[in-house]
PDB file of all heavy atoms in Angstrom:
ATOM      1  N   VAL A 379      72.209 116.507 105.971  1.00  0.00           N
ATOM      2  CA  VAL A 379      72.852 116.780 107.257  1.00  0.00           C
ATOM      3  C   VAL A 379      71.870 117.669 108.007  1.00  0.00           C
ATOM      4  O   VAL A 379      71.201 118.493 107.378  1.00  0.00           O
ATOM      5  CB  VAL A 379      74.196 117.518 107.014  1.00  0.00           C
ATOM      6  CG1 VAL A 379      74.777 118.051 108.300  1.00  0.00           C
ATOM      7  CG2 VAL A 379      75.184 116.596 106.327  1.00  0.00           C
ATOM      8  N   PRO A 380      71.731 117.495 109.347  1.00  0.00           N
ATOM      9  CA  PRO A 380      70.797 118.362 110.073  1.00  0.00           C
ATOM     10  C   PRO A 380      71.020 119.837 109.717  1.00  0.00           C
ATOM     11  O   PRO A 380      72.137 120.325 109.816  1.00  0.00           O
ATOM     12  CB  PRO A 380      71.134 118.084 111.541  1.00  0.00           C
ATOM     13  CG  PRO A 380      71.731 116.712 111.531  1.00  0.00           C
ATOM     14  CD  PRO A 380      72.424 116.548 110.211  1.00  0.00           C
ATOM     15  N   THR A 381      69.980 120.474 109.270  1.00  0.00           N
ATOM     16  CA  THR A 381      70.116 121.849 108.771  1.00  0.00           C
ATOM     17  C   THR A 381      69.118 122.768 109.473  1.00  0.00           C
ATOM     18  O   THR A 381      67.930 122.462 109.533  1.00  0.00           O
ATOM     19  CB  THR A 381      69.860 121.880 107.244  1.00  0.00           C
ATOM     20  OG1 THR A 381      70.779 120.984 106.633  1.00  0.00           O
ATOM     21  CG2 THR A 381      70.063 123.256 106.671  1.00  0.00           C
ATOM     22  N   MET A 382      69.634 123.854 110.057  1.00  0.00           N
ATOM     23  CA  MET A 382      68.769 124.881 110.639  1.00  0.00           C
ATOM     24  C   MET A 382      68.681 126.017 109.618  1.00  0.00           C
ATOM     25  O   MET A 382      69.556 126.153 108.771  1.00  0.00           O
ATOM     26  CB  MET A 382      69.361 125.439 111.944  1.00  0.00           C
ATOM     27  CG  MET A 382      69.356 124.453 113.081  1.00  0.00           C
ATOM     28  SD  MET A 382      70.803 123.416 112.949  1.00  0.00           S
ATOM     29  CE  MET A 382      70.290 122.017 113.913  1.00  0.00           C
ATOM     30  N   ILE A 383      67.645 126.814 109.785  1.00  0.00           N
ATOM     31  CA  ILE A 383      67.463 127.875 108.785  1.00  0.00           C
ATOM     32  C   ILE A 383      67.502 129.250 109.455  1.00  0.00           C
ATOM     33  O   ILE A 383      66.811 129.476 110.454  1.00  0.00           O
ATOM     34  CB  ILE A 383      66.086 127.732 108.080  1.00  0.00           C
ATOM     35  CG1 ILE A 383      65.846 126.301 107.603  1.00  0.00           C
ATOM     36  CG2 ILE A 383      65.946 128.754 106.951  1.00  0.00           C
ATOM     37  CD1 ILE A 383      66.538 125.904 106.346  1.00  0.00           C
ATOM     38  N   ASN A 384      68.311 130.130 108.895  1.00  0.00           N
ATOM     39  CA  ASN A 384      68.233 131.536 109.274  1.00  0.00           C
ATOM     40  C   ASN A 384      67.446 132.231 108.164  1.00  0.00           C
ATOM     41  O   ASN A 384      67.996 132.607 107.130  1.00  0.00           O
ATOM     42  CB  ASN A 384      69.638 132.128 109.397  1.00  0.00           C
ATOM     43  CG  ASN A 384      69.600 133.633 109.635  1.00  0.00           C
ATOM     44  OD1 ASN A 384      68.520 134.189 109.901  1.00  0.00           O
ATOM     45  ND2 ASN A 384      70.746 134.285 109.538  1.00  0.00           N
ATOM     46  N   SER A 385      66.138 132.405 108.428  1.00  0.00           N
ATOM     47  CA  SER A 385      65.299 132.916 107.342  1.00  0.00           C
ATOM     48  C   SER A 385      65.579 134.398 107.069  1.00  0.00           C
ATOM     49  O   SER A 385      65.246 134.911 106.008  1.00  0.00           O
ATOM     50  CB  SER A 385      63.823 132.687 107.672  1.00  0.00           C
ATOM     51  OG  SER A 385      63.569 133.205 108.944  1.00  0.00           O
ATOM     52  N   LYS A 386      66.234 135.069 108.055  1.00  0.00           N
ATOM     53  CA  LYS A 386      66.525 136.501 107.823  1.00  0.00           C
ATOM     54  C   LYS A 386      67.955 136.677 107.327  1.00  0.00           C
ATOM     55  O   LYS A 386      68.650 137.628 107.703  1.00  0.00           O
ATOM     56  CB  LYS A 386      66.315 137.269 109.123  1.00  0.00           C
ATOM     57  CG  LYS A 386      64.894 137.198 109.636  1.00  0.00           C
ATOM     58  CD  LYS A 386      64.654 138.335 110.614  1.00  0.00           C
ATOM     59  CE  LYS A 386      63.322 138.163 111.308  1.00  0.00           C
ATOM     60  NZ  LYS A 386      63.452 138.198 112.774  1.00  0.00           N
ATOM     61  N   TYR A 387      68.403 135.731 106.537  1.00  0.00           N
ATOM     62  CA  TYR A 387      69.808 135.750 106.097  1.00  0.00           C
ATOM     63  C   TYR A 387      70.178 137.021 105.351  1.00  0.00           C
ATOM     64  O   TYR A 387      71.317 137.454 105.361  1.00  0.00           O
ATOM     65  CB  TYR A 387      70.099 134.527 105.204  1.00  0.00           C
ATOM     66  CG  TYR A 387      69.295 134.500 103.945  1.00  0.00           C
ATOM     67  CD1 TYR A 387      69.744 135.127 102.796  1.00  0.00           C
ATOM     68  CD2 TYR A 387      68.049 133.868 103.926  1.00  0.00           C
ATOM     69  CE1 TYR A 387      68.980 135.115 101.648  1.00  0.00           C
ATOM     70  CE2 TYR A 387      67.282 133.865 102.783  1.00  0.00           C
ATOM     71  CZ  TYR A 387      67.755 134.485 101.645  1.00  0.00           C
ATOM     72  OH  TYR A 387      66.998 134.497 100.516  1.00  0.00           O
ATOM     73  N   GLU A 388      69.158 137.663 104.721  1.00  0.00           N
ATOM     74  CA  GLU A 388      69.490 138.844 103.926  1.00  0.00           C
ATOM     75  C   GLU A 388      69.814 140.061 104.773  1.00  0.00           C
ATOM     76  O   GLU A 388      70.610 140.899 104.391  1.00  0.00           O
ATOM     77  CB  GLU A 388      68.326 139.193 102.993  1.00  0.00           C
ATOM     78  CG  GLU A 388      68.519 138.587 101.625  1.00  0.00           C
ATOM     79  CD  GLU A 388      67.342 138.842 100.717  1.00  0.00           C
ATOM     80  OE1 GLU A 388      66.199 138.555 101.133  1.00  0.00           O
ATOM     81  OE2 GLU A 388      67.589 139.349  99.605  1.00  0.00           O
ATOM     82  N   THR A 389      69.222 140.100 105.967  1.00  0.00           N
ATOM     83  CA  THR A 389      69.389 141.310 106.787  1.00  0.00           C
ATOM     84  C   THR A 389      70.178 141.053 108.061  1.00  0.00           C
ATOM     85  O   THR A 389      70.409 141.975 108.832  1.00  0.00           O
ATOM     86  CB  THR A 389      68.002 141.869 107.175  1.00  0.00           C
ATOM     87  OG1 THR A 389      67.262 140.791 107.774  1.00  0.00           O
ATOM     88  CG2 THR A 389      67.279 142.400 105.958  1.00  0.00           C
ATOM     89  N   THR A 390      70.592 139.831 108.279  1.00  0.00           N
ATOM     90  CA  THR A 390      71.313 139.539 109.528  1.00  0.00           C
ATOM     91  C   THR A 390      72.687 138.975 109.213  1.00  0.00           C
ATOM     92  O   THR A 390      72.998 138.639 108.068  1.00  0.00           O
ATOM     93  CB  THR A 390      70.551 138.518 110.400  1.00  0.00           C
ATOM     94  OG1 THR A 390      70.460 137.288 109.665  1.00  0.00           O
ATOM     95  CG2 THR A 390      69.174 139.012 110.774  1.00  0.00           C
ATOM     96  N   GLY A 391      73.493 138.823 110.284  1.00  0.00           N
ATOM     97  CA  GLY A 391      74.881 138.380 110.099  1.00  0.00           C
ATOM     98  C   GLY A 391      75.141 136.982 110.633  1.00  0.00           C
ATOM     99  O   GLY A 391      74.219 136.195 110.884  1.00  0.00           O
ATOM    100  N   GLU A 392      76.410 136.707 110.809  1.00  0.00           N
ATOM    101  CA  GLU A 392      76.846 135.345 111.141  1.00  0.00           C
ATOM    102  C   GLU A 392      76.312 134.851 112.490  1.00  0.00           C
ATOM    103  O   GLU A 392      75.944 133.689 112.630  1.00  0.00           O
ATOM    104  CB  GLU A 392      78.376 135.289 111.156  1.00  0.00           C
ATOM    105  CG  GLU A 392      78.981 135.469 109.783  1.00  0.00           C
ATOM    106  CD  GLU A 392      80.417 135.977 109.819  1.00  0.00           C
ATOM    107  OE1 GLU A 392      81.001 136.066 110.922  1.00  0.00           O
ATOM    108  OE2 GLU A 392      80.936 136.306 108.753  1.00  0.00           O
ATOM    109  N   LEU A 393      76.300 135.756 113.467  1.00  0.00           N
ATOM    110  CA  LEU A 393      75.885 135.270 114.793  1.00  0.00           C
ATOM    111  C   LEU A 393      74.387 134.988 114.850  1.00  0.00           C
ATOM    112  O   LEU A 393      73.947 134.113 115.595  1.00  0.00           O
ATOM    113  CB  LEU A 393      76.295 136.255 115.889  1.00  0.00           C
ATOM    114  CG  LEU A 393      77.809 136.393 116.089  1.00  0.00           C
ATOM    115  CD1 LEU A 393      78.118 137.134 117.388  1.00  0.00           C
ATOM    116  CD2 LEU A 393      78.535 135.061 116.070  1.00  0.00           C
ATOM    117  N   ALA A 394      73.623 135.702 114.026  1.00  0.00           N
ATOM    118  CA  ALA A 394      72.192 135.379 113.955  1.00  0.00           C
ATOM    119  C   ALA A 394      72.029 133.977 113.380  1.00  0.00           C
ATOM    120  O   ALA A 394      71.134 133.220 113.774  1.00  0.00           O
ATOM    121  CB  ALA A 394      71.469 136.406 113.087  1.00  0.00           C
ATOM    122  N   SER A 395      72.906 133.610 112.461  1.00  0.00           N
ATOM    123  CA  SER A 395      72.882 132.241 111.933  1.00  0.00           C
ATOM    124  C   SER A 395      73.299 131.249 113.006  1.00  0.00           C
ATOM    125  O   SER A 395      72.642 130.225 113.228  1.00  0.00           O
ATOM    126  CB  SER A 395      73.829 132.103 110.730  1.00  0.00           C
ATOM    127  OG  SER A 395      73.287 132.759 109.618  1.00  0.00           O
ATOM    128  N   LEU A 396      74.397 131.569 113.681  1.00  0.00           N
ATOM    129  CA  LEU A 396      74.895 130.647 114.714  1.00  0.00           C
ATOM    130  C   LEU A 396      73.835 130.415 115.794  1.00  0.00           C
ATOM    131  O   LEU A 396      73.687 129.315 116.321  1.00  0.00           O
ATOM    132  CB  LEU A 396      76.191 131.210 115.329  1.00  0.00           C
ATOM    133  CG  LEU A 396      76.874 130.339 116.372  1.00  0.00           C
ATOM    134  CD1 LEU A 396      77.226 128.965 115.805  1.00  0.00           C
ATOM    135  CD2 LEU A 396      78.141 131.022 116.898  1.00  0.00           C
ATOM    136  N   TRP A 397      73.076 131.477 116.072  1.00  0.00           N
ATOM    137  CA  TRP A 397      72.018 131.387 117.089  1.00  0.00           C
ATOM    138  C   TRP A 397      71.006 130.273 116.737  1.00  0.00           C
ATOM    139  O   TRP A 397      70.482 129.593 117.596  1.00  0.00           O
ATOM    140  CB  TRP A 397      71.326 132.746 117.219  1.00  0.00           C
ATOM    141  CG  TRP A 397      70.240 132.807 118.245  1.00  0.00           C
ATOM    142  CD1 TRP A 397      68.913 132.989 118.034  1.00  0.00           C
ATOM    143  CD2 TRP A 397      70.394 132.689 119.668  1.00  0.00           C
ATOM    144  NE1 TRP A 397      68.217 132.991 119.205  1.00  0.00           N
ATOM    145  CE2 TRP A 397      69.105 132.809 120.246  1.00  0.00           C
ATOM    146  CE3 TRP A 397      71.488 132.505 120.516  1.00  0.00           C
ATOM    147  CZ2 TRP A 397      68.875 132.733 121.619  1.00  0.00           C
ATOM    148  CZ3 TRP A 397      71.267 132.429 121.892  1.00  0.00           C
ATOM    149  CH2 TRP A 397      69.968 132.533 122.421  1.00  0.00           C
TER     150      TRP A 397
END
Side-chain angles (χ1 to χ4, degrees):
V379 169
T381 303
M382 291 84 201
I383 311 281
N384 174 11
S385 52
K386 298 200 189 126
Y387 62 88
E388 265 176 308
T389 53
T390 62
E392 292 156 7
L393 294 193
S395 288
L396 183 58
W397 181 246

